[in-house]
Amino acid sequence: MNPAPPRPKTPDEWLASVDEQKRGRFKIFLGYAPGVGKTFSMLSEAVRRRSRGEDVVIGIVETHGRPRTAELAAQLEQVPRKQMEYKGTLFDEMNVDAILVRKPQVVLIDELAHTNIEGSEHTKRFQDVLQVLEAEIDVLSTLNIQHVESITPRVQSLTGITVRETVPDWVLDRADEIVLSDLTPEALVHRMGRGDIYPADRAERALQNFFRRGNLIALREMALQRVTKAVDRTLDDYVARKQLSGHWQIAERVAVCISANPESRDLIARGARMAEAMNGEFYVLHVENESEVAEERRRSLDANIHFAENVGARVVRLKGRSVPSTTADYVSKNRITQVIFGRSAVKGWKQYLYYHALGQFMSDAPHVDVHIVTQEAK
């Protein structure tokens, strides 16, 4: 009786396994469409690294009949592929076992979103990559933005083309480096028309469908946004490690400070619009205090928080004796760039207390841009 096949690892198990031990470095060359130069850039780096004395091999690279890409691939050692039969047809697949036995310093594994032939140890190529990384081998790989799982629905809606192979977002978050292989849409269309990407008959169809200029502009923007996110995450880690000040920031992060006041919903809506316009992250902050124990205020606060969640905010409940100090501490540590406060149109002592608290916040968080929005007094 044959033993049951091992249960596939969950994303959390994959991440835990690579975090608990030494592992290889993972670098992804990301593009927004076929033909922007991902594989060529990957091969160019591999040739440079080999010239510096590193042990570099090709696990699998698809040249798609492009001569310049094939010339670069020919300069590198290639681990022999293995043949697998599926429904009476033989297919060449990457030989993970042979790569592990060869144990180079660096291996090139093209087309990260590829689905393996039925009967392979892993269903997806990205799982092969994670296994290779666990063996302390560096991996260079390639991926187009339309294959990122969270982006696929937008791409399908935009282009009308079904994307069947995807890579979970957490795999990209695992990458040590993401490099954008970029080319303007005009240059890409020119390459397509010249026959550098597909044969002439196929190129003509592609230019009328996936490679329409509007599609390419939108896909390129998605790729740029994904790389910006990766760069900002790397900067987060660097800032935390070096204990740098809060002005080290690339992507915008907008935070709205709310209370139980029903007018807070206007602030939340304004913050959501600002974050969307800046293509930034959106936070809603609330510092809890004893005055909101009353049932009516609690219901009002819960309604505000529910509204914030509905517009996509990351809601953060803070605790502290001083509202301005507690808020300033959070926005500084989390590198918020824009903060929105409401201001009731009050006079006298309440007005003095408000400006005193605002001054304390600005003193404690000097690198944050502050927006004051007047509200009706409650």
Side-chain angles (χ1 to χ4, degrees):
M1 183 175 178
N2 293 328
R7 177 181 62 82
K9 289 184 180 180
T10 66
D12 287 342
E13 288 171 339
W14 275 116
L15 291 173
S17 66
V18 296
D19 287 339
E20 288 172 358
Q21 59 186 328
K22 292 182 179 178
R23 53 176 174 76
R25 287 186 61 80
F26 185 21
K27 185 170 185 176
I28 297 174
F29 292 83
L30 180 69
Y32 69 88
V36 296
K38 303 178 303 298
T39 302
F40 188 86
S41 296
M42 178 179 68
L43 286 163
S44 298
E45 174 165 329
V47 170
R48 288 194 301 272
R49 292 174 72 161
R50 190 200 61 171
S51 70
R52 296 197 297 262
E54 293 185 55
D55 182 13
V56 183
V57 303
I58 291 175
I60 191 163
V61 163
E62 303 293 349
T63 64
H64 300 289
R66 296 165 192 165
R68 294 180 63 206
T69 303
E71 288 172 10
L72 282 177
Q75 298 179 40
L76 297 166
E77 176 188 342
Q78 301 195 36
V79 175
R81 302 185 188 185
K82 64 179 178 181
Q83 285 196 325
M84 297 188 67
E85 184 178 347
Y86 179 66
K87 294 185 177 180
T89 303
L90 288 175
F91 293 88
D92 285 337
E93 285 281 32
M94 183 174 69
N95 193 332
V96 179
D97 291 336
I99 292 171
L100 298 177
V101 170
R102 171 64 176 75
K103 200 168 176 59
Q105 289 176 279
V106 185
V107 62
L108 279 62
I109 301 178
D110 207 6
E111 299 187 356
L112 187 62
H114 174 77
T115 300
N116 294 331
I117 294 296
E118 189 174 314
S120 301
E121 181 179 356
H122 299 127
T123 304
K124 301 289 292 186
R125 184 168 289 167
F126 74 79
Q127 296 170 318
D128 296 332
V129 166
L130 293 170
Q131 183 180 359
V132 172
L133 290 168
E134 287 179 355
E136 301 181 41
I137 300 170
D138 293 352
V139 174
L140 307 182
S141 191
T142 63
L143 180 70
N144 274 331
I145 192 65
Q146 67 263 29
H147 297 292
V148 178
E149 195 166 59
S150 65
I151 294 174
T152 295
R154 292 168 59 194
V155 173
Q156 292 183 163
S157 175
L158 174 75
T159 65
I161 295 173
T162 301
V163 180
R164 292 185 171 83
E165 296 186 313
T166 62
V167 173
D169 290 57
W170 62 264
V171 176
L172 273 73
D173 293 338
R174 161 66 183 81
D176 297 285
E177 294 180 71
I178 298 180
V179 177
L180 182 66
S181 296
D182 195 25
L183 195 65
T184 65
E186 292 76 13
L188 183 58
V189 168
H190 182 67
R191 287 194 67 195
M192 177 69 73
R194 210 168 53 199
D196 292 347
I197 301 172
Y198 298 138
D201 58 338
R202 189 180 172 191
E204 185 63 31
R205 291 196 305 273
L207 287 169
Q208 295 173 5
N209 293 285
F210 187 86
F211 281 78
R212 291 196 302 270
R213 187 171 183 274
N215 287 354
L216 297 179
I217 292 171
L219 289 165
R220 188 186 189 206
E221 182 178 353
M222 292 179 201
L224 289 165
Q225 290 172 357
R226 195 60 181 76
V227 171
T228 299
K229 179 182 176 183
V231 170
D232 201 50
R233 188 179 68 249
T234 302
L235 184 59
D236 277 342
D237 295 340
Y238 179 81
V239 168
R241 191 169 62 252
K242 297 293 185 179
Q243 297 182 332
L244 300 175
S245 61
H247 70 281
W248 284 74
Q249 180 67 27
I250 294 175
E252 295 285 352
R253 291 178 177 171
V254 179
V256 173
C257 300
I258 67 166
S259 67
N261 188 336
E263 298 296 322
S264 290
R265 265 166 276 187
D266 293 336
L267 297 181
I268 295 167
R270 181 176 294 217
R273 292 194 299 271
M274 181 184 293
E276 183 177 7
M278 294 178 169
N279 192 33
E281 299 175 30
F282 182 38
Y283 297 73
V284 167
L285 312 180
H286 171 67
V287 180
E288 297 182 352
N289 60 65
E290 294 180 358
S291 67
E292 287 164 356
V293 173
E295 184 63 25
E296 184 179 349
R297 290 187 63 80
R298 175 59 61 186
R299 284 199 303 268
S300 179
L301 177 62
D302 290 343
N304 290 342
I305 289 174
H306 182 66
F307 179 76
E309 291 171 340
N310 283 346
V311 297
R314 183 184 303 179
V315 177
V316 181
R317 296 173 185 258
L318 302 170
K319 290 186 178 181
R321 297 180 63 183
S322 167
V323 172
S325 296
T326 302
T327 306
D329 182 63
Y330 181 85
V331 302
S332 297
K333 288 180 178 177
N334 291 275
R335 298 171 39 246
I336 305 295
T337 59
Q338 313 279 336
V339 174
I340 299 176
F341 291 107
R343 178 176 71 88
S344 297
V346 296
K347 297 181 180 179
W349 183 245
K350 287 186 177 180
Q351 186 181 59
Y352 169 78
L353 291 176
Y354 175 83
Y355 285 119
H356 176 75
L358 183 62
Q360 183 180 343
F361 171 85
M362 296 176 69
S363 176
D364 292 343
H367 299 295
V368 178
D369 292 343
V370 177
H371 306 261
I372 308 298
V373 179
T374 300
Q375 302 170 284
E376 294 182 12
K378 295 290 181 180

